Amino acid sequence: MKNFIELTQKEKRKVIGLMTGTSLDGVDTALVEITGNGPDTRIEFIGFLEYPFPAGFRDFVIDQSRRATSNVEDLCRLNFLLPDIYADAVRTLCAETGHDLASIDLIGSHGQTVQHLPEKHKFFGYSISSTLQIGDPAVLAKKLGIVTVGDFRTGDVALGGQGAPLVPYFDYIIFRDNSVSRALLNIGGISNFTVLDKNGTQEDVYAFDTGPGGMLIDICAKRFYGKNYDSDGAFGASGNFCLSLFEDLKAQDSFIERKPPKSTGRELYGEEFLTGLFEKYGHIAQADWMHTITKFTAYGIHENYRKFVFDETRIDELIVSGGGARNKFLLRCLSGYFGEGVRIRVIDELGISSDAKEAICFAVLANETISGNASNIPRTTGAAKTTILGKICLP
């Protein structure tokens, strides 16, 4: 406990953030030096890597997120296997950046979401919401001998919130600007954005999941081309727009038009979302599928802006991060929807790696937790109040 108390009193901390998202591309691992906390936080970026998962791991984890194919024994084993993989990622990044493991003060780990059920459900006479991230942070803390903070979503869900998105607090303290109104758009498997009005305070921050990000595009890339994603958006760019497929995608979607606060995941936008449409539109070209599903993804993002943001905040800049920032065709579709009045930028232009952003975010959230700062924003999640997020696990 003495070492932990000393850690909470440090002005500067070397922190590693770990993020594995719905796309399951690997473990995003970022090392930063953080000075201070809260609105005075300053970040010095040191290094980043995407540590690969073992062959077949991605599909295995996806199976565990489906009712028909999940197995409680496999979930239990994965809960301990993931910290082993995370530990290897941490050691690799330390070696590549020339840092001893002993020099790392803190780890923030998102864990891997296998179920996210924030809507109230009647269960044995109680009304509950729930979320499950595996990759136990206590195991990671013991493996590496470093204080680890994890399970960030749970506290917000316990207070009636969606438990997502969690990035808005980070967006506010790092990217607010008094001269321009911004939306920070992260395109992982799911898309979400944070709206930062140039005249707003932390309490005014507005954020929510908008719907599919790369997830539907990735499913189609895997089905049609045997690829995990559409590199640079080349497949989508080569096709033509299919209006009837687009309209059926809109008609089938139950989330895009839903009023925030809201969050979603593979439970809605997994392969089952497209199964019937694959059968109905089996006759159209594969490239046309890719083109249309990419445009639908961009539509979902813009439709949320049009319906739920525009009347309150008219943004000057849309700053894009996540794997979707590499999809040039998706960026072109976004530009077409948002028009000339909104400048679309990739977050790298602001000094933060597009790939590393979410991992850096969880490093910052861990720093906030041990500093005793609440880091959820009730307006974005729907929680009853602000709260300190995460479980602190000692080595």
Side-chain angles (χ1 to χ4, degrees):
M1 285 300 296
K2 178 183 176 182
N3 290 340
F4 175 71
I5 293 170
E6 291 174 352
L7 172 62
T8 64
Q9 296 171 345
K10 293 183 73 170
E11 177 65 14
K12 288 186 178 182
R13 305 180 182 106
K14 284 190 172 67
V15 189
I16 287 180
L18 301 170
M19 174 65 187
T20 57
T22 50
S23 293
L24 280 160
D25 297 325
V27 186
D28 291 344
T29 313
L31 172 58
V32 291
E33 183 174 76
I34 301 176
T35 303
N37 60 83
D40 298 324
T41 299
R42 298 190 303 280
I43 298 173
E44 180 183 341
F45 177 75
I46 297 173
F48 170 79
L49 65 83
E50 185 178 306
Y51 190 81
F53 284 131
F57 185 82
R58 179 179 185 272
D59 290 340
F60 188 84
V61 174
I62 290 173
D63 282 345
Q64 301 315 308
S65 69
R66 298 175 178 143
R67 179 183 298 180
T69 53
S70 63
N71 178 294
V72 67
E73 292 180 359
D74 288 335
L75 277 172
C76 186
R77 294 187 179 106
L78 280 172
N79 193 39
F80 275 66
L81 172 61
L82 273 164
D84 271 339
I85 297 172
Y86 294 163
D88 284 344
V90 168
R91 294 187 188 102
T92 302
L93 180 59
C94 285
E96 290 188 359
T97 58
H99 286 74
D100 291 333
L101 197 61
S103 71
I104 306 303
D105 296 302
L106 181 65
I107 292 173
S109 176
H110 174 270
Q112 178 60 53
T113 301
V114 290
Q115 278 293 302
H116 184 60
L117 305 170
E119 305 304 326
K120 292 292 185 182
H121 178 75
K122 295 292 184 181
F123 202 53
F124 290 97
Y126 292 83
S127 180
I128 63 161
S129 303
S130 59
T131 186
L132 180 60
Q133 285 73 46
I134 58 174
D136 198 301
V139 178
L140 184 59
K142 302 299 182 185
K143 295 275 184 183
L144 293 176
I146 300 171
V147 175
T148 300
V149 183
D151 283 341
F152 291 93
R153 297 191 187 279
T154 308
D156 187 83
V157 172
L159 292 172
Q162 293 278 313
L166 297 180
V167 176
Y169 180 84
F170 168 80
D171 286 338
Y172 175 75
I173 64 176
I174 302 300
F175 296 107
R176 68 189 187 281
D177 190 304
N178 293 332
S179 62
V180 292
S181 294
R182 289 171 163 168
L184 280 293
L185 171 66
N186 184 74
I187 309 175
I190 299 299
S191 290
N192 58 73
F193 55 32
T194 303
V195 181
L196 303 175
D197 193 294
K198 62 185 177 183
N199 300 313
T201 66
Q202 180 176 325
E203 289 71 28
D204 298 317
V205 173
Y206 197 28
F208 50 91
D209 286 354
T210 65
M215 187 174 292
L216 298 182
I217 299 171
D218 294 348
I219 290 170
C220 291
K222 185 75 170 180
R223 179 184 181 91
F224 297 133
Y225 300 96
K227 303 292 185 181
N228 287 333
Y229 53 90
D230 184 1
S231 180
D232 292 333
F235 297 143
S238 68
N240 296 303
F241 182 63
C242 177
L243 178 60
S244 57
L245 171 58
F246 184 80
E247 292 298 329
D248 277 354
L249 285 163
K250 287 168 58 178
Q252 180 162 307
D253 191 282
S254 62
F255 184 82
I256 290 172
E257 301 287 334
R258 188 187 306 170
K259 186 177 180 180
K262 58 181 180 176
S263 59
T264 190
R266 194 173 295 278
E267 306 80 37
L268 178 59
Y269 292 111
E271 288 191 31
E272 293 82 0
F273 183 85
L274 295 175
T275 299
L277 295 177
F278 282 143
E279 296 174 0
K280 182 175 180 179
Y281 291 93
H283 61 285
I284 73 169
Q286 296 175 346
D288 295 353
W289 255 101
M290 296 300 298
H291 184 103
T292 306
I293 208 75
T294 304
K295 196 154 190 178
F296 174 70
T297 299
Y299 159 82
I301 293 165
H302 180 263
E303 183 68 1
N304 274 271
Y305 170 68
R306 185 187 69 82
K307 287 181 68 71
F308 307 122
V309 177
F310 184 78
D311 288 343
E312 178 178 324
T313 300
R314 300 193 180 187
I315 62 172
D316 305 300
E317 294 182 343
L318 181 70
I319 300 170
V320 186
S321 62
R326 296 192 297 268
N327 187 321
K328 296 176 182 176
F329 179 59
L330 178 55
L331 294 182
R332 277 169 40 202
C333 292
L334 286 170
S335 181
Y337 275 113
F338 280 89
E340 295 181 359
V342 177
R343 181 185 181 191
I344 295 181
R345 307 173 68 183
V346 174
I347 201 169
D348 302 66
E349 298 175 30
L350 281 73
I352 297 287
S353 163
S354 177
D355 294 328
K357 181 195 172 185
E358 286 198 297
I360 295 172
C361 169
F362 284 96
V364 170
L365 289 179
N367 189 66
E368 293 300 287
T369 299
I370 66 163
S371 298
N373 296 331
S375 55
N376 67 327
I377 299 179
R379 187 187 182 197
T380 74
T381 67
K385 62 180 181 179
T386 59
T387 191
I388 299 171
L389 298 178
K391 299 171 184 174
I392 301 173
C393 302
L394 304 181

